[in-house]
């Protein structure tokens, strides 16, 4: 039985919050995308806010509740607090970023998962406690919707109107109002992304060094790997040191501050809030080295789209929108 790694993409809540864990199976570097069925071409899904996190209403068989939209997680994770009875697999250790075995995870199968008008059946899921995240946010979180839920689709997230739009790849319906507005201007950023190991990897440049950063809608902070070279680390300005406790129970000291300048596509972003921590455990389970995480501080600056069929990331910065 392969060991599961629950790895921390640090999630900051007003500077102090727990780390959100992600399940990685070493023997399954890329899982099959979920086949969202039903009579639909476009889903317009309202997002609920919990700080810099976004929640979506999902139905698991007869149970309805809020799931965290989390592209940093590879697939669907159920909160063991509410779905313990679904567990069918043997328990496996959950290993945090610092290598400590501090909790357990297991697997199960959901008969039917429903998201808005779309549904899929016989969904394999991980089951793990998400109590640390719930306690920190003060809301009930039934589970995580990971990247493979959307990995054969087109999606757009508008963090100001709290709206997610999902479309079947290559099957775009008639333009809506926002489509019409965005069609009148070019995106500020239009770059290719890699989709490997069920992670979305976009290119980021700091001090002339091109790096691979994971796009994580479940991270309330940008994250810079402490193993980056000195030239890159000189761009990080430390404001304070904090201690984070992860959803698997592990503790880790991290540096809180900001990146003076980072470049995405042809656009330079200054004073980007971030934390610095070791991401070595995460990178060791990936086929490419991950240098950082793009989280809410960056993603909240515009409307962004992920076209999985073409592997293109687009962003329309709010400051430049001509609405």
């Amino acid at each position: 039985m392969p060991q599961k790694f629950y790895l921390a993409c640090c999630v900051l809540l007003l500077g102090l919050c727990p780390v959100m864990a992600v399940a990685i199976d070493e023997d399954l570097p890329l899982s099959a995308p979920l086949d969202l069925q039903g009579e639909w071409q476009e889903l317009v899904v309202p997002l609920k806010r919990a700080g810099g996190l976004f929640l979506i209403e999902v139905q698991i068989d007869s149970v309805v509740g809020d799931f965290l939209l989390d592209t940093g997680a590879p697939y669907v994770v159920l909160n063991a607090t509410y779905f313990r009875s679904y567990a069918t697999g043997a328990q496996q250790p959950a290993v945090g970023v610092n290598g400590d075995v501090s909790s357990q995870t297991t697997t199960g199968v959901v008969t039917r998962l429903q998201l808005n008008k779309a549904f899929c059946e016989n969904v394999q899921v991980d089951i793990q406690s998400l109590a640390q995240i719930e306690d920190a946010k003060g809301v009930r979180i039934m589970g995580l919707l990971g990247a493979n839920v959307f990995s054969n689709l087109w999606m757009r997230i508008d963090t100001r109107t709290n709206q997610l739009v999902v479309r079947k790849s290559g099957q775009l319906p008639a333009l809506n109002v926002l489509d019409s507005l965005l069609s009148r201007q070019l995106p500020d950023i239009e770059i290719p992304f890699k989709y490997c190991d069920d992670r979305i990897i976009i290119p980021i440049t700091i001090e002339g060094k091109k790096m691979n950063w994971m796009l994580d809608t479940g991270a309330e902070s940008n994250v810079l790997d402490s193993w980056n070279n000195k030239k890159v680390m000189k761009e990080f300005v430390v404001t304070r040191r904090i201690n984070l406790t992860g959803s698997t129970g592990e503790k880790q000291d991290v540096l809180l501050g900001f990146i003076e300048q980072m470049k995405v596509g042809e656009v330079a972003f200054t004073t980007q809030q971030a934390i610095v921590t070791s991401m070595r455990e995460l990178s060791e389970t990936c086929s490419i080295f991950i240098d950082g995480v793009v989280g809410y501080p960056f993603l909240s600056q515009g409307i962004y789209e992920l076209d999985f069929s073409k592997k293109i990331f687009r962003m329309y910065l709010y400051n430049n929108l001509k609405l």
Side-chain angles (χ1 to χ4, degrees):
M1 184 73 69
Q3 186 183 52
K4 295 276 180 149
F5 285 86
Y6 280 81
L7 301 161
C9 294
C10 293
V11 181
L12 288 186
L13 310 173
L14 301 177
L16 291 170
C17 90
V19 176
M20 191 194 60
V22 176
I24 310 296
D25 189 327
E26 288 184 291
D27 287 357
L28 295 173
L30 189 64
S31 61
L34 293 192
D35 182 17
L36 289 177
Q37 305 173 47
E39 297 296 322
W40 66 279
Q41 296 298 321
E42 178 183 67
L43 304 176
V44 179
V45 184
L47 299 173
K48 301 175 185 177
R49 294 288 292 271
L53 304 178
F54 294 96
L55 303 174
I56 301 176
E57 186 175 276
V58 174
Q59 182 170 337
I60 300 294
D61 295 333
S62 62
V63 180
V64 178
D66 291 330
F67 274 60
L68 179 63
L69 176 61
D70 180 14
T71 60
Y75 31 76
V76 177
V77 178
L78 301 184
N79 190 341
T81 302
Y82 314 110
F83 296 101
R84 196 174 304 276
S85 62
Y86 279 72
T88 57
Q91 287 195 337
Q92 300 178 58
V95 182
V97 285
N98 57 7
D100 293 341
V101 177
S102 47
S103 68
Q104 299 290 321
T105 179
T106 186
T107 58
V109 177
V110 169
T111 303
R112 183 183 174 101
L113 181 153
Q114 179 121 15
L115 169 62
N116 202 278
K117 299 176 183 177
F119 68 91
C120 50
E121 297 177 332
N122 299 318
V123 181
Q124 293 187 342
V125 298
D126 268 16
I127 302 170
Q128 185 218 349
S129 173
L130 301 177
Q132 288 277 356
I133 304 175
E134 289 186 301
D135 291 346
K137 304 307 291 185
V139 296
R140 177 176 292 186
I141 298 175
M142 308 294 282
L144 313 177
L145 285 185
N148 83 326
V149 176
F150 308 99
S151 60
N152 63 348
L153 302 170
W154 175 100
M155 62 188 297
R156 172 193 290 153
I157 296 177
D158 186 341
T159 58
R160 285 192 176 174
T161 62
N162 298 322
Q163 186 181 83
L164 166 69
V165 177
V166 179
R167 294 171 177 165
K168 294 182 178 179
S169 296
Q171 300 182 37
L172 302 185
L175 292 176
N176 57 37
V177 174
L178 184 56
D179 283 328
S180 181
L181 292 171
L182 295 182
S183 68
R184 300 172 192 168
Q185 61 188 90
L186 295 174
D188 296 281
I189 300 171
E190 185 169 17
I191 55 175
F193 68 83
K194 300 175 183 177
Y195 185 67
C196 53
D197 306 301
D198 296 299
R199 294 176 179 85
I200 302 161
I201 307 297
I202 66 172
I204 301 287
T205 302
I206 298 178
E207 274 294 303
K209 179 175 173 56
K210 295 182 180 179
M211 299 181 290
N212 296 313
W213 282 40
M214 180 174 71
L215 190 153
D216 186 357
T217 59
E220 287 193 282
S221 175
N222 300 316
V223 183
L224 182 63
D225 184 21
S226 59
W227 291 87
N228 278 296
N229 66 34
K230 293 182 180 179
K231 188 176 181 181
V232 170
M233 297 307 297
K234 284 182 179 179
E235 284 293 296
F236 182 77
V237 177
V238 178
T239 56
R240 60 189 169 120
R241 183 185 297 271
I242 60 176
N243 184 269
L244 299 184
T245 301
S247 59
T248 58
E250 81 277 10
K251 295 181 182 293
Q252 187 176 32
D253 285 332
V254 301
L255 299 177
L256 176 65
F258 59 89
I259 301 169
E260 290 192 305
Q261 185 176 97
M262 56 186 273
K263 193 172 182 181
V264 185
E266 297 301 317
V267 182
F269 295 84
T270 58
T271 320
Q272 294 295 294
Q273 182 267 321
I275 62 174
V276 169
T277 188
S278 172
M279 298 179 60
R280 173 170 286 188
E281 291 287 340
L282 176 60
S283 287
E284 286 179 353
T285 65
C286 300
S287 57
I288 62 175
F289 191 87
I290 297 177
D291 302 287
V293 173
V294 172
Y296 181 78
F298 173 78
L299 297 173
S300 63
Q301 296 176 84
I303 298 170
Y304 59 97
E305 300 173 348
L306 290 162
D307 186 338
F308 282 91
S309 64
K310 298 179 180 178
K311 303 293 187 297
I312 294 294
F313 170 81
R314 300 181 186 90
M315 192 171 195
Y316 300 84
L317 296 175
Y318 288 122
N319 288 343
N320 297 334
L321 280 179
K322 302 171 183 177
L323 303 180

